Amino acid sequence: MQAKKRYLILLSAGACLVLLFYVGGFQVPAQRNQSRRDDRSRNGFHPNQPWPHFSDHLQSFFPWDRLENVDYNMHISPRQKRDANSSVYKGKRCRMDSCFDFSLCQRNGFKVYVYPQQKGEKISESYQNILSAIEGSRFYTSDPSQACLFVLSLDTLDRDQLSPQYVHNLKTKVQNLHLWSNGRNHLIFNLYSGTWPDYTEDLGFDIGQAMLAKASIGTENFRPGFDVSIPLFSKDHPRTGGERGYLKYNSIPPFRKYMLVFKGKRYLTGIGSDTRNALYHVHNAEDVVLLTTCKHGKDWQKHKDARCDRDNAEYDK
């Protein structure tokens, strides 16, 4: 019995040796073998080496906020690293010391350049008033080489895609401006952004390192000391001048009939609806007059509430 087991073991070992010899000596056609060898060589594999060899070292881990900087290197000096970071911290991280070139202002003082209006481009009355006010000021210059601040002639006030004042293809038009320089030392004006009911603050183009003078800007997007929060004004707002104020000396309260006045749409749904729907709590129709209408959008009656008829009537007075 023991002899049979020894014979079976020897037979199995011999079969294994024959099989290994057969596999090791098997040759594939020369052309296919050469093709595979080339592919394996390109991938860093060499048949004479027991372990694949990679010609390039693994790249160091890149933090998420430095992915845009392809020249980032762990061995650069601290000063070089700060300079590299200044080109990365843009957009929401922009501040005057990182995204504004003060040297332009030191040469010629504070001068504002307005881009020439492009042929065929429509411009709203409100934005034309802004540009006219700048061009009529002592800070205006028609020479871009003398300018410290740049203002677009492209109308960016209304970025609601449903608005007739919406300017299409603004992204391409802005990028084609030869002085754009990723928005550095530029000031963008905006009153409306997004579309009902969400009204996101996306302007439809990348403002880059430009400053933003915007109405109703959210606190999460506002960059302190860099952006400018402006009120939402109508096209009938006077460009300059106006009547003298009634507040004289220390007369508190001022000699006015109304202390607070607001008139506008009451958004029944979407962003801003909570605030507008709560205005009636402080409305007293005497010195605090807050008038809202539900007539907003084509399907406003679908969202109509119990106060809409009364609010609409007071609004129309």
Side-chain angles (χ1 to χ4, degrees):
M1 189 68 179
Q2 296 296 332
K4 288 184 178 180
K5 287 185 177 180
R6 287 195 295 269
Y7 289 138
L8 288 174
I9 293 173
L10 289 173
L11 183 61
S12 300
C16 290
L17 290 174
V18 172
L19 182 61
L20 289 173
F21 178 78
Y22 176 78
V23 174
F26 181 74
Q27 299 293 326
V28 296
Q31 183 176 359
R32 183 183 300 176
N33 191 36
Q34 181 64 34
S35 176
R36 289 182 179 177
R37 185 179 295 111
D38 293 342
D39 291 341
R40 294 163 83 183
S41 297
R42 281 195 295 268
N43 292 331
F45 177 81
H46 301 279
N48 295 331
Q49 296 183 1
W51 189 259
H53 172 74
F54 298 96
S55 57
D56 297 329
H57 295 289
L58 289 176
Q59 296 294 326
S60 301
F61 172 72
F62 275 47
W64 67 270
D65 57 351
R66 291 173 177 166
L67 288 176
E68 298 179 50
N69 190 348
V70 296
D71 297 328
Y72 177 78
N73 190 305
M74 295 296 292
H75 302 288
I76 62 177
S77 67
R79 180 175 181 179
Q80 289 174 315
K81 192 175 296 185
R82 285 195 302 269
D83 294 341
N85 288 341
S86 66
S87 66
V88 173
Y89 294 150
K90 55 187 178 182
K92 286 189 176 181
R93 299 184 181 89
C94 266
R95 297 296 184 269
M96 293 299 293
D97 58 350
S98 60
C99 295
F100 192 88
D101 186 0
F102 285 97
S103 65
L104 299 181
C105 308
Q106 292 170 351
R107 287 201 305 258
N108 305 298
F110 185 74
K111 297 294 183 180
V112 184
Y113 173 77
V114 177
Y115 284 81
Q117 295 189 20
Q118 301 180 14
K119 186 177 181 180
E121 287 293 341
K122 60 181 181 180
I123 183 171
S124 64
E125 182 179 348
S126 296
Y127 196 59
Q128 183 61 66
N129 287 338
I130 293 177
L131 299 184
S132 298
I134 296 174
E135 292 171 345
S137 73
R138 66 181 186 274
F139 303 106
Y140 172 73
T141 177
S142 58
D143 184 0
S145 64
Q146 300 289 318
C148 163
L149 188 67
F150 300 82
V151 175
L152 303 181
S153 63
L154 296 167
D155 193 345
T156 57
L157 283 188
D158 195 342
R159 300 306 296 155
D160 184 347
Q161 296 183 17
L162 300 180
S163 171
Q165 305 293 343
Y166 181 81
V167 177
H168 295 273
N169 302 321
L170 193 57
K171 178 180 179 181
T172 302
K173 295 174 182 178
V174 170
Q175 294 296 333
N176 288 337
L177 297 174
H178 68 286
L179 298 174
W180 175 242
S181 187
N182 196 32
R184 180 166 287 239
N185 287 51
H186 281 66
L187 179 63
I188 306 295
F189 290 91
N190 177 254
L191 297 181
Y192 312 96
S193 60
T195 301
W196 184 87
D198 297 323
Y199 290 104
T200 61
E201 296 187 23
D202 181 17
L203 302 186
F205 70 100
D206 183 11
I207 65 173
Q209 298 180 354
M211 296 174 289
L212 190 60
K214 179 174 171 54
S216 304
I217 186 171
T219 55
E220 66 277 6
N221 294 322
F222 181 75
R223 297 165 294 184
F226 192 73
D227 291 329
V228 183
S229 180
I230 61 176
L232 184 64
F233 57 87
S234 69
K235 64 180 180 180
D236 299 323
H237 189 80
R239 189 197 321 174
T240 56
E243 296 182 5
R244 292 185 61 184
Y246 290 96
L247 183 61
K248 299 179 180 179
Y249 305 108
N250 292 324
S251 56
I252 302 295
F255 302 116
R256 290 190 176 187
K257 180 179 180 180
Y258 300 107
M259 183 179 72
L260 178 63
V261 174
F262 173 79
K263 186 176 183 180
K265 297 181 176 66
R266 177 159 72 87
Y267 304 119
L268 299 174
T269 59
I271 188 172
S273 59
D274 292 341
T275 304
R276 297 288 178 94
N277 287 333
L279 292 180
Y280 77 97
H281 287 293
V282 290
H283 167 75
N284 61 19
E286 294 179 1
D287 61 337
V288 177
V289 181
L290 305 176
L291 305 174
T292 59
T293 177
C294 297
K295 298 177 181 179
H296 181 57
K298 296 180 180 179
D299 57 348
W300 67 270
Q301 291 183 332
K302 295 180 181 179
H303 307 283
K304 182 179 177 181
D305 59 24
R307 294 200 334 268
C308 278
D309 290 337
R310 184 182 61 196
D311 288 353
N312 292 343
E314 289 194 3
Y315 182 90
D316 292 337
K317 285 182 182 179

